[in-house]
């Protein structure tokens, strides 16, 4: 049997299993409320919560984009292990304060927090909308990247029997199917299965790579021979970019809508603490591995172009598959693991997108079953649009998409992290800061200015955003007077804000 | 034995400061740019230092999460 046919068979088995999981999840649902559909009735336990957090965090970007970036940059991409870990560190700023309020008030979307905290203030509605627009734009970008990665992998694993475009249609259709049928339960359960597949796949590939290169020391030496600059101590610009990326990814990922919804969906605070404690080790077993995979490609494939570099994982797997029948089966497993990671991120993004557009942008009730139905229709429409775009715009690097998404998302940080820790933050200056930060990011895209001396434009935008929010809040007496009139927020205990 | 609340907070704060310090050390800003590194454990020395820092961060952060206090519900929630 050819590698392509073997891949097609594996893909067929995998998709059939997903259909089964979706049906079980559909039967497990309690009602059609948004809380049950979008948050699985808020009853995710440690094991499933950990695996769904893991599968959601490690996406097509991580599995295809990160090896590609390691190939392009060399050893300095070890920064990826640090910035993926910084996400779980930065969650300390969010989870202990947001979780109790979210549970008590029955939040479903990230916008529920912003509406609760700022909704009745002058400028509060604008801030709710601003945050929702940025988060939706970031999620759409994220979905686009997943679809692009899905198409690439489907074509690779089937040896071209399923072309890029058809791969996108089949896999996007499957994600839409099980997400619509089973909601967060189907997403979380498939995530759990996908996470296990991904872990096994990556560990197997790593073992083969290290075995075939003669270990880490031999790998370093072979990289030094073909590209000495990849091994040398990075310059000040690269170091600044390293720090900037840790800040960018750490803070922006904390306000990922799908991550916030998993904070809401945990069955208890204890469950959440344990899941996050486990999650902190995952960059060492995943990001580090994909970084080494990208580095291992440097001596094997000379002079890949910027976009081509995103295909180093499929290229390595293709090479592995030719080593013998057993290796071909193992390569198919790794391919499916990577595909699983991508689909698990796409489903989470899609679920979050539907709930957010219906609840935050269109202002639908979070207790009404019609909101669930609307969220599903929106998810379908967005999926079709993004799939169409992914078919047309194939030549964009995945890391470029990640940076853009994060630079937009990070502008929402003050509305969450500062608002949770400082009672004085006002809606109007927070909104002004968000607009200035977002405009700066968009201007950076328009004028093709990604970084200033290694520092991301989005991080500079965040600094301006925070400064405007803080200074404006101190000066915004009108907003403060109205804040004092707020019944619900005024009754908040001092523990939520400073007192 | 359960750790008193005040100590849990202090331990967590101390751990978070240590994590911040490890992040600063992990970036080789204090090394000569373009310098040829020695090899530690098969990796360039500055990579081995960064990786060592991140491994310690993982352990400290896991402890910080295990001692973190996350109330089940908002304090003024009477439902």
């Amino acid at each position: 049997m050819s590698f392509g046919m073997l891949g097609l068979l594996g893909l067929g088995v995998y998709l059939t299993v997903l259909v089964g999981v979706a049906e079980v999840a559909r039967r497990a649902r309690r009602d059609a409320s948004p809380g049950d559909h979008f948050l699985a009735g808020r009853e995710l336990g440690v094991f499933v919560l950990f695996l769904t957090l893991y599968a959601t965090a490690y996406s097509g970007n991580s599995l295809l984009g990160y090896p590609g970036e390691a190939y392009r940059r060399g050893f300095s991409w070890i920064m990826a292990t640090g910035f993926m870990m910084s996400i779980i560190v930065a969650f300390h700023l969010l989870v202990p304060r947001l979780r109790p309020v979210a549970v008590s008030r029955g939040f479903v979307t990230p916008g529920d927090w912003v509406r609760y905290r700022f909704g009745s203030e002058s400028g509060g509605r604008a801030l709710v909308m601003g945050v929702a627009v940025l988060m939706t734009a970031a999620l759409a970008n994220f979905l686009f990247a997943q679809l692009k990665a899905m198409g690439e992998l489907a074509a690779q694993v089937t040896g071209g029997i399923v072309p890029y475009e058809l791969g996108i249609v089949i896999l996007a259709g499957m994600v839409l199917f099980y997400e619509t049928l089973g909601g967060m339960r189907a997403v979380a359960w498939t995530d759990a299965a996908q996470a296990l597949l991904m872990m096994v796949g990556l560990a197997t590939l790593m073992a083969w790579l290290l075995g075939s290169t003669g270990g880490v020391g031999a790998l370093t030496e072979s990289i030094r021979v073909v590209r000495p600059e990849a091994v040398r101590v990075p310059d000040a610009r690269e170091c600044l970019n390293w720090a900037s990326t840790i800040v960018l990814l750490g803070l922006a990922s904390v306000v990922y809508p799908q991550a916030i919804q998993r904070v809401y969906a945990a069955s208890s605070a204890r469950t959440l603490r344990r899941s996050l404690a486990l999650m902190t080790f995952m960059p060492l077993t995943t990001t580090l591995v994909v970084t080494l995979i990208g580095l291992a490609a440097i001596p094997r494939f000379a002079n890949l172009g910027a976009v081509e570099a995103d295909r180093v994982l499929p290229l390595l797997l293709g090479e592995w598959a030719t080593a013998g029948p057993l290796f071909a089966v193992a390569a198919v497993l790794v391919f499916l693991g990577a595909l699983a990671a991508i689909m698990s991120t796409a489903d989470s993004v899609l679920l979050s997108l539907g709930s957010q557009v219906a609840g935050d942008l269109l202002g639908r009730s979070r207790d009404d079953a019609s909101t669930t139905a609307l969220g599903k229709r929106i998810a379908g429409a967005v999926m079709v649009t993004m799939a169409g775009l992914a078919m047309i715009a194939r030549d964009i690097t995945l890391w470029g998409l990640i940076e853009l998404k994060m630079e937009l998302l990070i502008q929402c940080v003050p509305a969450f992290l500062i608002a949770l820790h400082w009672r004085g933050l006002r809606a109007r200056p927070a909104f002004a800061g968000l607009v200035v930060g977002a405009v700066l990011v968009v201007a950076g895209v328009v004028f093709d200015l990604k970084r200033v001396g290694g520092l991301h434009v989005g991080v500079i935008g965040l600094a301006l955003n925070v400064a405007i929010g803080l200074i404006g809040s101190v000066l915004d007496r009108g907003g403060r007077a109205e804040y004092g009139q707020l019944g619900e927020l005024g009754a908040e205990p001092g523990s939520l804000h400073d007192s | 034995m359960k750790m008193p609340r005040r100590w849990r907070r202090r331990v967590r704060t101390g751990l978070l400061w240590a994590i911040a310090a490890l992040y600063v050390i992990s970036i080789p800003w204090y090394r000569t740019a373009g310098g040829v590194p020695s090899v530690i454990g098969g990796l360039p020395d500055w990579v081995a230092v960064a990786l060592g820092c991140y491994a310690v961060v993982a352990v400290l952060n896991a402890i910080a999460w295990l001692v973190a206090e996350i109330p089940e519900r908002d304090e003024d929630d009477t439902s």
Side-chain angles (χ1 to χ4, degrees):
Chain A
M1 189 184 286
S2 70
F3 178 72
M5 286 305 292
L6 195 64
L8 192 63
L9 183 70
L11 188 61
V13 170
Y14 171 61
L15 295 183
T16 308
V17 169
L18 290 186
V19 171
V21 172
E23 176 55 22
V24 174
R26 188 188 67 79
R27 290 182 185 179
R29 73 180 176 180
R30 292 182 177 172
D31 52 51
S33 68
D36 195 76
H37 184 77
F38 295 118
L39 300 180
R42 302 175 201 274
E43 53 194 21
L44 296 183
V46 175
F47 183 67
V48 174
L49 182 66
F50 159 63
L51 289 176
T52 186
L53 276 168
Y54 173 64
T56 303
Y58 294 90
S59 60
N61 298 333
S62 319
L63 295 185
L64 294 182
Y66 289 8
E69 201 59 17
Y71 175 87
R72 286 185 282 263
R73 292 197 188 194
F75 273 102
S76 68
W77 194 241
I78 199 74
M79 72 171 79
T81 303
F83 68 63
M84 289 303 286
M85 210 173 275
S86 75
I87 299 168
I88 312 301
V89 175
F91 264 126
H92 282 283
L93 296 172
L94 181 98
V95 173
R97 298 209 174 197
L98 180 60
R99 160 85 190 174
V101 191
V103 171
S104 292
R105 315 280 162 179
F107 292 168
V108 174
T109 66
D112 284 339
W113 155 254
V114 186
R115 193 176 299 107
Y116 166 72
R117 171 67 171 79
F118 297 102
S120 310
E121 270 188 59
S122 171
R125 178 68 187 149
L127 184 60
V128 171
M129 292 299 284
V131 166
V133 166
L134 285 191
M135 285 188 161
T136 303
L139 284 177
N141 167 319
F142 205 14
L143 186 60
F144 170 82
Q146 304 314 306
L147 291 167
K148 183 177 171 309
M150 273 183 204
E152 297 287 359
L153 271 183
Q156 294 280 344
V157 73
T158 61
I161 298 172
V162 175
Y164 172 79
E165 292 80 4
L166 184 61
I168 290 177
V169 171
I170 293 172
L171 298 175
M174 174 56 69
V175 168
L176 195 58
F177 168 75
Y178 69 72
E179 186 266 337
T180 306
L181 200 69
M184 173 71 102
R185 266 187 207 87
V187 166
W189 292 355
T190 51
D191 278 0
Q194 287 159 341
L196 292 172
L197 193 55
M198 178 166 54
M199 284 186 209
V200 172
L202 283 176
T204 314
L205 178 62
M206 198 59 236
W208 170 71
L209 272 177
L210 289 181
S212 65
T213 53
V216 177
L219 174 64
T220 303
E221 180 56 24
S222 60
I223 293 171
R224 195 191 60 75
V225 170
V226 298
R227 209 198 290 170
E229 69 277 12
V231 176
R232 289 191 185 135
V233 178
D235 60 15
R237 188 187 173 87
E238 185 74 347
C239 287
L240 187 60
N241 182 248
W242 188 326
S244 175
T245 311
I246 286 172
V247 172
L248 180 70
L249 270 284
L251 290 180
S253 302
V254 163
V255 293
Y256 259 17
Q258 65 271 37
I260 289 176
Q261 286 188 302
R262 277 157 178 73
V263 170
Y264 297 171
S267 62
S268 69
R270 192 175 182 221
T271 297
L272 194 54
R273 283 194 292 116
R274 289 180 171 189
S275 299
L276 289 168
L278 280 173
M279 271 294 286
T280 195
F281 291 100
M282 300 325 285
L284 295 170
T285 63
T286 308
T287 316
L288 179 59
V289 172
V290 293
T291 300
L292 289 173
I293 288 168
L295 291 171
I298 293 175
R300 283 167 190 262
F301 310 111
N303 304 320
L304 290 179
V307 175
E308 266 186 308
D310 280 344
R311 295 178 193 142
V312 294
L313 178 67
L315 285 171
L316 279 170
L317 289 176
E319 194 181 280
W320 191 22
T322 59
L326 268 179
F327 289 107
V329 172
V332 167
L333 277 177
V334 177
F335 261 124
L336 292 178
L339 199 57
I342 294 161
M343 290 176 74
S344 65
T345 304
D347 60 28
S348 307
V349 168
L350 195 64
L351 191 72
S352 202
L353 232 162
S355 66
Q356 190 165 290
V357 175
D360 297 344
L361 281 179
L362 302 179
R364 299 291 288 266
S365 163
R366 64 178 182 227
D367 303 317
D368 193 345
S370 69
T371 306
T372 309
L374 179 65
K376 288 180 184 179
R377 284 200 296 276
I378 291 166
V382 172
M383 183 63 117
V384 170
T385 310
M386 288 297 127
L389 278 176
M391 287 182 205
I392 302 164
R394 193 173 175 180
D395 290 338
I396 299 175
T397 67
L398 288 170
W399 179 243
L401 285 170
I402 299 170
E403 284 183 312
L404 176 61
K405 171 191 70 180
M406 292 303 185
E407 290 182 79
L408 282 174
L409 262 184
I410 204 172
Q411 308 311 325
C412 301
V413 160
F416 287 86
L417 300 191
I418 297 181
L420 279 165
H421 292 267
W422 185 47
R423 185 191 176 100
L425 187 69
R426 304 272 59 83
R428 284 190 299 202
F431 177 66
L434 179 140
V435 170
V436 169
V439 166
L440 202 67
V441 171
V442 173
V445 173
V446 171
F447 297 108
D448 198 23
L449 180 67
K450 287 182 179 174
R451 295 165 201 153
V452 179
L455 207 59
H456 291 91
V457 170
V459 173
I460 298 170
L462 176 67
L464 275 175
N465 179 350
V466 169
I468 292 168
L470 295 182
I471 296 168
S473 294
V474 172
L475 300 175
D476 187 6
R477 295 183 176 206
R480 189 176 298 155
E482 287 174 45
Y483 173 74
Q485 294 162 10
L486 292 179
E488 190 181 28
L489 200 59
E492 279 303 288
S495 61
L496 179 61
H497 313 287
D498 68 346
S499 52
Chain B
M1 195 177 73
K2 208 172 176 183
M3 196 187 290
R5 200 175 192 186
R6 198 175 55 157
W7 278 102
R8 286 166 80 102
R9 280 186 187 166
R10 283 187 183 176
V11 167
R12 181 164 164 264
T13 305
L15 290 170
L16 293 178
W17 279 111
I19 288 169
L22 285 164
Y23 266 109
V24 173
I25 297 167
S26 73
I27 304 171
W29 52 271
Y30 46 85
R31 298 285 302 271
T32 307
V36 179
S38 54
V39 173
I40 299 176
L43 293 166
D45 54 8
W46 57 275
V47 178
V49 168
L51 203 53
C53 286
Y54 298 144
V56 178
V57 165
V59 173
L60 299 187
N61 194 34
I63 298 169
W65 274 114
L66 293 176
V67 300
E69 286 179 288
I70 309 175
E72 284 294 344
R73 300 185 83 85
D74 195 6
E75 283 178 22
D76 72 337
D77 179 26
T78 53
S79 60

